[in-house]
Amino acid sequence: MLKIENLHASVDGKKILKGIDLTIKSGEVHAIMGPNGSGKSTLSNVIAGRDGYEVTEGSILFHGQDLLAMEPEERAWAGVFLAFQYPVEIPGVNNVYLLKAGLNARRKHLGLAELDAMEFMQLVREKARLVELDQAFLSRGVNEGFSGGEKKRNEIFQMAVLEPNLAILDETDSGLDIDALRVVANGVNALRSADRSIVMVTHYQRLLDYIEPDVVHVLAEGKVLKSGDKSLALELEKRGYDWVREEAANA
Amino acid sequence: MPDIASLRKQAWQAFEETGLPTTRQEEWKYTSLARLGSVLGEAWWTRAEPASLKAADIDALAIPNLDAWRIVFADGRLVESVTSLPEGASLSPLSELLAGNGQQAATALQWQADAPLFNGAVAANSALAEDGLCLCLADGVVLNKPIYMLHIASQPGASHLRHGLWLGRQAEAHVIEHYAGAGEEAGLTHAVTLVHLGEGAQLRHDRLQDESLKQFHLGRLAVTQGRDSSLTSHAVALGASLARTDIAVDLSEPGAACTLNGLYMPTGRQHSDQHTQIDHRAPHCCSREHYRGVLDGRAHGVFNGKVVVHEGASGTDSAQSNANLLLSDKAEIDAKPELVIHHDDVKAAHGCTVGQLDDKQLFYLKTRGMSEEEARQVLTFAFADSVLTGIRQPALRRFIEKRAFSKLPIDMDAEALVG
């Protein structure tokens, strides 16, 4: 589904990603772990297409298409979704309006009929239950006055409505208490399917107790230093990241 | 008993002495009225010949589905009024009062040479106004529907309007002033509204200036507030080639409160100036002001919000904000919050921003599948709409939204957006 090769990227002239290689197959859940400043968020943003990230080398193919040549909204239509680390507040634009516009644009792209207001509201209510989001939030401004946990739940709720093929969860677990984490994890697990891949970017092994990954990668200094199964995450939890760095340096 | 004729004469003399304000005056630094004379002619004040409007012409310009008492002025003259107000409410056309030469007409025509934001043009209005609406509410009278004043300018020449609203103790009213235009030729609308709020009176005042792009518009709302009275105003400026709106609020007795909301959206080559002044003269008065501008093309906008806290106005609580969105790099805004404080023990805050759309918000919307264009439209709409949320009548709010966004390349379901 996603094939990243030798990806180099800079922000403000500073090299952050220095040759990322990553292949994600349909239906897989990958965790990308790494210390602060390792380039995790940069990778998420480059995949989603944020301005200000300059790709200097390498490629990202999504279902064989050149993702880097596409606008952020075209990536969304193609099925890429980013759950933001810091979701922005957009007062005055209500959640339902945003999702309806987004979903119908995607359906149009896929050659499907747009949902009418009734079908759409039915879908939205069902998905809101999935992440235990109060119905009252639906008609509020996007993230307007939401708590940190509500914002993160709203991200997963949006993902549930938009049903992407590739979802990148950028530190969705950070700042969540254990109850909120459980709700978010249940939501994500309910969305696992054979035609959907999920990439979790995280600091903490704790998230992986709730969402079991197929593959774990260690990202440090702009490169994937090591990949393994979920036992790698447990090892990182116990031993930290330095041994991975040393191992890579000695290799 | 004042003699209206001599009062008018005095006003005219004052105008001849003072003349129109010029850009040499601080309050008029950014707005030149020189074009009044060059476009409308030397005698720019010459009254327009009122058009004879058909019912269909009026309905085409009126706010649809608004449950209100409707009063219509054409080119400065009353053409349609209402007769059935509740007991204790009286509504008189200024033209009738002038003929009767009474106290009320004289009060309506006081030209306030010592008032804030006074200028020579107001004196001209006092001398020349032929018509307007004088609404008096006796103590405790509550109007359960808005008074909707529709002003249609369609002829060349000047329309001088003078309105007076007097609300007695605990009286309540909602007045909508709508200025619309259908004219092909340039003209001047000059409308002055004087308001007095008695103790505990409540006024909602919504002003929509949506005249033709050829028109000149000078508007003024001057309010004196008594003890514990409350004013909520929305001033929306969309039309005219050159428009200036002055709002002056005098919080003259303890416990009075006002909220001034404003939206201006000049595009193309429009010039749109909003000046407000709030005078805190008594203790424990509260003022809130929230103005937003959306500017496109080569438009020029001006916002000047002055708050004066006078000596003795202890416990003053004042907050002001002004935000501007520039959609074009050729659009220009002169924004100036002014806080003048002559008393300690006051709470006063103000803030002013000028900027473009927020990149983070744009990116967020796009990652959810909105096109760049739609995301820009949605954010522009949301920015401007935030000052309209206090409008109580959905029909009025939707109408303003529709008119405002017809000026921008925006084609969206506003109702769904604000839900």
Side-chain angles (χ1 to χ4, degrees), chain B residues 177-256:
Chain B
E177 291 185 34
H178 178 194
Y179 295 86
E184 299 288 320
E185 287 180 74
L188 165 70
T189 301
H190 188 184
V192 175
T193 302
L194 302 181
V195 179
H196 178 75
L197 302 183
E199 184 179 336
Q202 296 193 16
L203 176 68
R204 298 183 67 81
H205 185 272
D206 297 320
R207 188 179 208 283
L208 170 61
Q209 185 276 104
D210 189 23
E211 300 202 296
S212 90
L213 293 176
K214 288 255 168 87
Q215 195 76 359
F216 292 89
H217 184 95
L218 297 176
R220 176 182 178 79
L221 172 69
V223 185
T224 312
Q225 291 192 233
R227 180 181 281 266
D228 300 328
S229 63
S230 127
L231 166 74
T232 303
S233 148
H234 293 88
V236 179
L238 304 177
S241 71
L242 184 156
R244 159 91 176 207
T245 309
D246 287 344
I247 296 184
V249 179
D250 209 327
L251 301 169
S252 58
E253 290 180 359

Side-chain angles (χ1 to χ4, degrees), chain B residues 5-339:
Chain B
S6 64
L7 202 143
R8 293 263 221 187
K9 206 170 147 200
Q10 269 177 36
W12 183 252
Q13 278 167 358
F15 166 62
E16 286 195 313
E17 278 164 32
T18 320
L20 280 178
T22 71
T23 51
R24 285 192 300 277
Q25 286 158 263
E26 185 59 29
E27 298 288 357
W28 289 81
K29 196 169 156 189
Y30 302 110
T31 298
S32 166
L33 293 180
R35 277 207 296 141
L36 262 186
S38 63
V39 175
L40 300 182
E42 197 83 345
W44 52 266
W45 54 78
T46 308
R47 292 178 184 126
E49 271 305 310
S52 60
L53 296 172
K54 297 190 186 76
D57 300 331
I58 296 173
D59 288 340
L61 292 167
I63 299 170
N65 308 316
L66 184 70
D67 184 19
W69 285 294
R70 190 171 86 176
I71 293 143
V72 182
F73 295 88
D75 302 296
R77 296 304 300 260
L78 182 78
V79 295
E80 179 189 308
S81 192
V82 289
T83 48
S84 61
L85 286 186
E87 208 183 322
S90 80
L91 196 159
S92 325
L94 180 69
S95 46
E96 273 177 25
L97 295 174
L98 287 171
N101 199 18
Q103 178 65 43
Q104 209 183 357
T107 313
L109 288 178
Q110 62 173 301
W111 41 277
Q112 293 185 303
D114 56 345
L117 303 179
F118 170 79
N119 62 72
V122 180
N125 184 284
S126 301
L128 299 170
E130 277 188 298
D131 224 333
L133 174 83
C134 294
L135 174 73
C136 287
L137 299 188
D139 292 351
V141 173
V142 175
L143 296 185
N144 58 2
K145 287 200 288 192
I147 301 266
Y148 170 44
M149 294 196 272
L150 172 60
H151 310 76
I152 299 170
S154 63
Q155 299 298 308
S159 309
H160 303 275
L161 289 143
R162 197 60 168 257
H163 302 305
L165 313 173
W166 288 274
L167 273 63
R169 286 171 52 125
Q170 306 290 332
E172 286 177 34
H174 179 189
V175 173
I176 300 163
E177 291 185 34
H178 178 194
Y179 295 86
E184 299 288 320
E185 287 180 74
L188 165 70
T189 301
H190 188 184
V192 175
T193 302
L194 302 181
V195 179
H196 178 75
L197 302 183
E199 184 179 336
Q202 296 193 16
L203 176 68
R204 298 183 67 81
H205 185 272
D206 297 320
R207 188 179 208 283
L208 170 61
Q209 185 276 104
D210 189 23
E211 300 202 296
S212 90
L213 293 176
K214 288 255 168 87
Q215 195 76 359
F216 292 89
H217 184 95
L218 297 176
R220 176 182 178 79
L221 172 69
V223 185
T224 312
Q225 291 192 233
R227 180 181 281 266
D228 300 328
S229 63
S230 127
L231 166 74
T232 303
S233 148
H234 293 88
V236 179
L238 304 177
S241 71
L242 184 156
R244 159 91 176 207
T245 309
D246 287 344
I247 296 184
V249 179
D250 209 327
L251 301 169
S252 58
E253 290 180 359
C258 71
T259 301
L260 306 184
N261 300 293
L263 173 65
Y264 43 100
M265 292 180 66
T267 59
R269 290 185 172 274
Q270 283 181 288
H271 180 98
S272 181
D273 181 347
Q274 6 290 315
H275 264 67
T276 65
Q277 178 162 340
I278 299 169
D279 282 274
H280 280 261
R281 291 188 198 277
H284 305 294
C285 291
C286 175
S287 63
R288 292 287 178 270
E289 182 168 17
H290 188 190
Y291 267 65
R292 289 198 162 188
V294 178
L295 298 93
D296 201 4
R298 293 170 173 275
H300 186 188
V302 181
F303 170 79
N304 189 303
K306 192 170 184 175
V307 175
V308 185
V309 181
H310 293 262
E311 216 169 299
S314 54
T316 287
D317 178 2
S318 170
Q320 181 193 72
S321 76
N322 171 234
N324 297 283
L325 183 59
L326 299 180
L327 298 178
S328 142
D329 55 9
K330 298 216 164 56
E332 200 187 326
I333 175 78
D334 289 292
K336 189 174 164 198
E338 262 187 284
L339 200 50

Side-chain angles (χ1 to χ4, degrees), chain A residues 87-90 95 141-146 150-151 154-155, chain B residues 364:
Chain A
V88 291
E89 298 197 15
I90 312 182
N95 266 311
V142 175
N143 296 320
E144 188 179 358
F146 287 23
E150 285 160 355
K151 284 181 186 171
N154 195 29
E155 294 294 287
Chain B
Y364 190 91

Side-chain angles (χ1 to χ4, degrees), chain A residues 29-49:
Chain A
V29 174
H30 288 228
I32 297 180
M33 305 187 70
N36 277 328
S38 58
K40 302 191 302 289
S41 279
T42 299
L43 179 62
S44 308
N45 282 313
V46 167
I47 295 173

